[in-house]
Amino acid sequence: MNSETSELASLKLLSDMQAELRDALNALGGMHGDGLLEHYLFYTAAHINRAVEGYVYLRESGRVEASKHLIRTAIEAFIRLQCIRRQPELLFRIALTEFNEDKKWLEEMKPLRGLKVVTYHRSWPNFAKHFGIEVVGYVEPRPGIPPSPAHTVELIQLMKREKVKLILVEPYFDLKTPNAIARETGGQVIVLLPSVGGEKVVTDYFKLFDYDIALLTKAFAATR
Amino acid sequence: MEVLEFLRWPFLASLILTGIHAYLGVHVVERGVIFVDLALAQIAALGATVAILVGMDPHGGTSYWISLGFTFLGAAIFALARTRRGHIPQEAFIGIAYAVASAAAILAMSKATGETEHLKDMLVGNILAVSKAEVERTALLYGGIGLFHYIFRKRFLLISMHPEEAEAQGVSIRLWDFLFYASFGFVVTSSVAIAGVLLVFCYLIVPSVGAMLFADRIGPRLAIGWTMGTLVSALGVYLSVVLDLPTGATIVCTFGGVLVLMFLVHLIVRRSAAAGALEGARPASANNRDPALGGRGEETLSRPR
């Protein structure tokens, strides 16, 4: 099987798995009306779709070998599928918990919908999209290359013009440059955690979102 | 206009770096310990890495003092390593210190969350992010160190340029070496935090080497070094704005380019001087070749060096 046929087969497999996931959730009482199915797919089908889109983009730019990105996605989908097949009630409970927690987070983040922020790199697109936050610029647009004066001044001007007050940074980045920009704009730097374990109290995925959302809402309130 | 306003503190910082580093560079080049700056900077970076590892802010006060403590330790090692009778060159110790400090920083970072990001920041730095308070604090600190060196300039110059004579006069080489490296370590620790290892190395070595192309005495060398540092800083900052490039790396490359130009000018000046000398010497050498020139007269003088 040549590489292209293999990719097509992988994509078809993913598509089949997504369909099976959807059917399985439906069979479990997908709660279409309450949005559980749509919500659950946010973590599965949509997630897979994004990975596939990313893979296609990278492949078209000739930057990755075929299948590398598909393998991980396929494995993730396969594990979920196996869970559905073997322990459907457990997975349903997990999906329901995610759904309820997400409802709570969406409610907490409601005042921040449409909020404009700056991030260090392009590293929060899904988070921003889900909670309706608009990322208007990046501290370091090319990862690993310090920003030029022209870019930094443009960013400062943009932040002043658009009244952007929050700069979101991961804990492993140096805060010197974000702090310098915050100084010039009267803004605030917030160190958001991108994964579990960034702080001792953040021991699972739910606590991670609780932590980040608490930081964001507090900082947002302070800038009002 | 806003760009100029934004760049005023980074530019002032670069002038302060020029002031102290061009002077210390003269000592470093005279001593032939070119890479002592990189070694001390790496030792300071190791201190900062240890501070990060125990959860401190890499730009906080405590982190700075830990870095400084590490640098003083390095200063003591370098002062002890210098001995006239020793058969191991001091550069060997400097190289070993650099390699071990770099490896230790990697080991420390392997246990920290920041990983390569902090190592990269220490190397490249970002002079654009310097604050007014940092510039003022650094100016005061370097002013104090400059004054200390001015008061004891004869002694420092003696141990850097004529260590045998200093020893004959009964000057404690190790003590004054330690004082030199310790004050140098103070400067390097602060400068690396502002501008990163690469830029600090350039401010230290390039003006001094550029000046040596045109002058032998300390005064003119300092004047050339300071002028070069100031002009290159301005040009580097200007180019980084016009070409939309990172400021620190642009200044480093501008230093390299200007040094090459200075070297070419130096060659032309020397050739012209040699040609002038030849013109003056022609009537005598035409009939009577100068034995001091190996009996070959104008042939030797006119050969480009």
Side-chain angles (χ1 to χ4, degrees), chain A residues 140 142 144-153 156-157 160 171-177 180 183-184, chain B residues 2-3 6-7 59 113-114 117 120-121 124 126 128-131 134 193-194 240-241 244-247:
Chain A
E140 197 178 86
R142 276 162 290 190
I145 310 291
S148 68
H151 169 79
T152 311
V153 170
I156 288 169
Q157 286 169 341
K160 283 180 178 169
Y172 42 79
F173 288 126
D174 194 286
L175 294 180
K176 246 189 130 181
T177 308
R183 240 185 351 255
E184 293 288 325
Chain B
E2 196 164 347
V3 175
F6 178 70
L7 288 172
H59 303 297
T113 49
E117 284 299 325
K120 185 208 82 186
D121 288 327
V124 183
N126 186 8
L128 277 187
V130 72
S131 67
E134 260 179 304
I194 291 174
S240 81
V241 173
D244 192 20
L245 296 170
T247 307

Side-chain angles (χ1 to χ4, degrees), chain A residues 5 13 32 36 59 75 91 94 106 110 116 123 130 143-144 183 189 213:
Chain A
T5 321
L13 179 68
H32 270 293
L36 178 59
R59 188 178 167 275
I75 289 170
L91 196 71
I94 292 170
L106 283 168
K110 216 174 188 175
K116 290 175 178 168
S123 40
H130 188 62
R183 240 185 351 255
V189 176
I213 286 168

